[in-house]
Amino acid sequence: MCGVRPDRGRPLAPPDRLARLTARFWALCYLGFCAPYAITLLTGWFAPATVLLAAVVPAAATLALITHRGTRRGIRRPV
């Protein structure tokens, strides 16, 4: 069941691209571990609220991109 969406029973990626998708996922996960450290370093120069607000901008952009791609492809949330 690895890589299979339970709501559709289809794989997230074809077998020849599954390793690449998995590698990207884990690279982003490990990169995310650096975010608290980077925020801590930046609060030395900027106010904490400014740093956190700056972190919200790429998060909101990512959410908008994912939502747009999902609706464009006709992917609907499971009921």
Side-chain angles (χ1 to χ4, degrees):
M1 291 294 285
C2 184
V4 176
R5 292 183 54 184
D7 61 331
R8 301 255 168 84
R10 295 183 308 186
L12 292 171
D16 59 327
R17 293 181 52 200
L18 188 58
R20 184 183 318 160
L21 180 67
T22 304
R24 288 179 181 168
F25 169 78
W26 282 110
L28 289 174
C29 286
Y30 283 116
L31 187 61
F33 288 142
C34 296
Y37 181 67
I39 289 172
T40 302
L41 289 177
L42 289 173
T43 55
W45 292 308
F46 304 103
T50 305
V51 174
L52 292 176
L53 184 61
V56 166
V57 172
T62 302
L63 177 64
L65 179 69
I66 290 171
T67 303
H68 175 70
R69 283 187 178 181
T71 56
R72 189 178 69 206
R73 293 183 183 167
I75 300 171
R76 295 191 181 116
R77 294 186 330 188
V79 178

